[in-house]
Amino acid sequence: LHYRSGGQTGTVTRDIPVRLGVLPHAGMTATADSAQSGNEAAKAIDDDPTTIWHSQWDPYQPLPHEITLDLGANYDVSGLLYLPRQDNNGNGNITSYTISVSPDGQNFTQVAVGDWPGNPAQKSAAFADRTARYVRLQALAGGGNFASAAEINILGTPAEGSSRSSHVP
């Protein structure tokens, strides 16, 4: 930073972390403990807000339900963006949740818990940076006692030493 103030000039140099933002879905996979045929977990990371993951309704499987994203590599993750379904149907819009992260897909650590309004606006949850390959969103409550998602995005940056070389947009 170069500055001028009161006739004085100066330079200040400082290292600051850069948040690159939303991690790319390319290379990610998604699995869920429940999905209605035609509304599989992968639809929550297909970059198409008109498709959805939806928990199974025939036969009905009650909440809670979870969807787990395998990021494909380690990232320093710091948040999750959740876009509910966008078709004016509130069934499955998650209203109470937990978020957990894991380096190995087996041992998860809860990093966030909260409530969201039952409307179709995008929701967010921020948490302290954690290095993880897996991020799990668990729906504790949702519209019609179901869980669904049009899109799920993860906020973060490539972890130091990660084999993933692509940069996020």
Side-chain angles (χ1 to χ4, degrees):
L1 169 69
H2 299 285
Y3 66 92
R4 182 184 315 220
S5 176
Q8 301 289 323
T9 61
T11 301
V12 175
T13 303
R14 181 149 334 216
D15 291 330
I16 58 171
V18 176
R19 293 278 175 236
L20 296 177
V22 176
L23 301 181
H25 287 148
M28 279 189 200
T29 58
T31 57
D33 68 334
S34 174
Q36 185 66 32
S37 180
N39 299 113
E40 292 80 11
K43 299 221 173 158
I45 57 168
D46 65 359
D47 295 316
D48 181 352
T50 66
T51 63
I52 62 169
W53 159 66
H54 198 293
S55 59
Q56 189 170 322
W57 67 78
D58 187 18
Y60 173 68
Q61 294 181 347
L63 292 171
H65 288 300
E66 57 194 40
I67 183 168
T68 303
L69 305 185
D70 177 348
L71 307 179
N74 285 329
Y75 286 89
D76 292 330
V77 296
S78 59
L80 180 143
L81 300 176
Y82 164 69
L83 183 66
R85 60 192 299 173
Q86 299 294 294
D87 61 359
N88 295 318
N89 183 337
N91 274 347
N93 288 359
I94 298 170
T95 57
S96 182
Y97 66 90
T98 66
I99 299 170
S100 301
V101 299
S102 170
D104 59 11
Q106 300 297 317
N107 301 297
F108 282 83
T109 301
Q110 185 173 297
V111 294
V113 60
D115 297 304
W116 288 318
N119 61 43
Q122 180 170 270
K123 317 296 190 256
S124 65
F127 45 86
D129 280 0
R130 296 287 182 108
T131 300
R133 177 173 173 156
Y134 299 86
V135 179
R136 177 173 288 161
L137 172 61
Q138 182 184 49
L140 304 175
N145 294 312
F146 297 105
S148 67
E151 291 295 316
I152 298 173
N153 286 291
I154 305 302
L155 302 176
T157 59
E160 193 169 311
S162 172
S163 61
R164 191 116 191 220
S165 60
S166 63
H167 295 287
V168 291

